[in-house]
């Protein structure tokens, strides 16, 4: 029995497809299948039921794969012990980031982090909160940057900053002529919101409590904040933006920003990991680099006005 064989059965369990699992393990499908077959022959059991599509583990296979994940996790601790002893930050870190954070935070952070730690290799994906949490639990991701709290006992959260929500209003909107807005103002506006699955969509609907999506004459499905602003620019209405997005807006768009009356609604952004996460030095480096680019006022706020995801 080898660690490689254990990696292969975990990959097949994760992707439920031998071809895709082989691609993710950077081997050919025959090679992966042969190694899994050898493991099954050695154990004298069937780990997977190949008659079903997608492929599923057998009842005993579920237990074997669960133990394989434990063994692989423990094996990673050896290299991490060496890195900690040498005070090195190197190796691979797989990170998931929600789309309403990624474009405003990552570009500067990634460049700076890799310049400081040339031995670090970042693999990053944009996913929704639900997708990030699911991939943390299967090991496809090692950490995530998203809105919290999650209320998941298997996930550990470290708050990074708190950012307010602001309104982005069209020039023909009734709100364009006011200095500050409040939740009740949006009952008479067409509000452009993100697709279902984005936690910020739920937060916006919670802020605009009188808003009923079914009453809107047009529902446009998108996962892009830039698209929502463009819809406001051309078609009117309003949308809500995270405060960090303002650092990227030109002056003509900043003129369309309206702050909320106090208390301003906000969201908590955290770095999250599975409770078994071990690459503590990498995580600390990532956290510190992010905070270098976050305004101090966002770091000093509390969670009092955080809108539930």
């Amino acid at each position: 029995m080898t660690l490689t064989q254990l990696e292969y059965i975990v990959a097949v369990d994760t992707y439920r497809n031998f071809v895709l699992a082989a691609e993710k393990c950077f081997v050919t499908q025959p090679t992966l299948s042969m190694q899994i077959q050898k493991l099954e022959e050695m154990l004298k059991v069937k780990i997977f039921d190949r008659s079903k599509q997608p492929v599923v583990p057998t009842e005993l296979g579920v237990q074997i794969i669960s133990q394989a994940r434990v063994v692989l996790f423990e094996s990673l601790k050896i290299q991490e012990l060496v890195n900690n002893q040498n005070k090195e930050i190197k190796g691979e870190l797989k990170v998931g980031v929600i789309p309403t954070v990624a474009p405003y935070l990552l570009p500067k952070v990634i460049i700076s982090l890799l310049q400081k730690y040339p031995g670090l290799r970042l693999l990053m994906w944009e996913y929704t909160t639900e997708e990030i949490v699911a991939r943390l639990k299967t090991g496809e991701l090692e950490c995530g940057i998203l809105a919290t709290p999650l209320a998941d006992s298997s996930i550990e959260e470290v708050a990074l900053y708190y950012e307010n929500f602001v309104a982005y209003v069209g020039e023909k909107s009734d709100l364009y002529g006011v200095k500050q807005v409040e939740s009740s103002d949006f009952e008479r506006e067409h509000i452009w919101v993100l697709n279902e699955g984005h936690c910020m969509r739920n937060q916006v609907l919670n802020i605009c409590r009188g808003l009923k999506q079914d009453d809107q004459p047009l529902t446009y499905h998108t996962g892009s904040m830039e698209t929502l602003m463009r819809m406001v620019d051309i078609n009117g209405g309003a949308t809500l933006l995270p405060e960090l997005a303002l650092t990227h807006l030109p002056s003509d768009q900043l003129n369309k920003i309206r702050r909320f009356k106090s208390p301003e609604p906000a969201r908590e952004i955290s770095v999250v990991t599975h409770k078994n996460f071990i690459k503590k030095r990498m995580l600390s480096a990532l956290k510190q680099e992010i905070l270098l680019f976050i305004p101090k006022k966002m770091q000093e706020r509390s969670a009092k006005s955080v809108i539930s995801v």
Side-chain angles (χ1 to χ4, degrees), residues 62-265:
V62 170
Q63 299 177 56
I64 293 172
I65 293 166
S66 177
Q67 187 60 37
R69 291 184 186 276
V70 173
V71 172
L72 291 172
F73 169 75
E74 293 296 326
S75 70
L76 291 175
K77 287 184 177 180
I78 297 175
Q79 183 60 55
E80 197 60 25
L81 286 171
V82 175
N83 291 343
N84 288 338
Q85 177 65 29
N86 297 331
K87 298 183 178 180
E88 292 179 322
I89 296 178
K90 68 177 185 178
E92 184 179 273
L93 185 63
K94 295 177 286 188
V95 186
V97 189
I98 56 175
T100 57
V101 167
Y104 314 121
L105 180 65
L106 291 187
K108 291 181 179 179
V109 169
I110 290 172
I111 293 173
S112 180
L113 191 64
L114 294 179
Q115 286 176 341
K116 288 183 180 179
Y117 307 104
L120 180 62
R121 180 170 182 251
L122 293 175
L123 285 74
M124 311 195 82
W125 293 267
E126 284 190 27
Y127 289 129
T128 63
T129 296
E130 184 178 351
E131 289 172 319
I132 291 174
V133 172
R135 284 170 167 78
L136 287 174
K137 292 179 178 180
T138 62
E140 295 172 77
L141 292 176
E142 294 170 299
C143 69
I145 301 172
L146 44 73
T148 51
L150 297 176
D152 188 322
S153 60
S154 69
I155 302 296
E156 294 187 353
E157 307 170 4
V158 178
L160 295 170
Y161 61 93
Y162 298 86
E163 63 177 337
N164 292 336
F165 287 100
V166 299
Y168 183 81
V169 301
E171 293 179 354
K172 296 181 180 179
S173 167
D174 292 338
L175 301 180
Y176 190 77
V178 304
K179 292 184 178 180
Q180 291 182 310
V181 297
E182 52 189 338
S183 297
S184 59
D185 292 335
F186 297 100
E187 295 178 10
R188 302 180 300 277
E189 282 290 338
H190 181 92
I191 305 298
W192 302 92
V193 296
L194 296 170
N195 284 342
E196 291 187 12
H198 291 271
C199 60
M200 188 171 154
R201 171 193 171 90
N202 298 333
Q203 292 168 323
V204 169
L205 294 179
N206 285 342
I207 294 170
C208 308
R209 287 183 292 273
L211 177 65
K212 295 180 180 179
Q213 281 298 98
D214 292 341
D215 295 338
Q216 302 285 310
L218 170 65
T219 300
Y220 186 88
H221 297 280
T222 180
S224 166
M225 299 298 303
E226 301 299 322
T227 300
L228 294 182
M229 286 189 284
R230 186 65 174 159
M231 295 299 286
V232 171
D233 291 340
I234 296 176
N235 299 293
T239 191
L240 267 60
L241 303 176
E243 190 176 11
L244 204 60
L246 303 188
T247 60
H248 297 261
L249 296 185
S251 58
D252 61 322
Q253 289 187 305
L254 286 174
N255 290 335
K256 298 178 182 179
I257 296 298
R258 298 295 180 269
R259 296 273 182 174
F260 279 82
K261 294 178 181 179
S262 183
E264 298 175 73

Side-chain angles (χ1 to χ4, degrees), residues 269-300:
I269 300 298
S270 300
V271 59
V272 304
T273 62
H274 191 270
K275 62 182 180 180
N276 294 329
F277 181 77
I278 61 173
K279 298 180 181 180
K280 305 295 186 181
R281 292 181 66 83
M282 287 188 191
L283 190 67
S284 178
L286 176 62
K287 176 185 174 182
Q288 294 306 314
E289 204 61 34
I290 289 173
L291 293 179
L292 289 177
F293 294 95
I294 299 299
K296 291 295 183 182
K297 63 180 181 180
M298 292 189 189
Q299 300 179 39
E300 295 168 354

Side-chain angles (χ1 to χ4, degrees), residues 9-50:
I9 64 172
V10 166
V12 172
D13 179 57
T14 298
Y15 300 106
R16 299 300 168 101
N17 182 285
F18 279 82
V19 174
L20 183 56
E23 289 177 1
K24 297 296 183 179
C25 293
F26 304 102
V27 296
T28 64
Q29 188 268 326
T31 297
L32 179 136
S33 296
M34 180 184 66
Q35 288 298 323
I36 292 178
Q37 186 176 353
K38 283 185 176 181
L39 179 60
E40 290 177 322
E41 290 172 354
M42 187 199 74
L43 296 174
K44 296 181 174 59
V45 298
K46 286 293 182 183
I47 298 175
F48 294 103
D49 183 348
R50 294 165 174 79

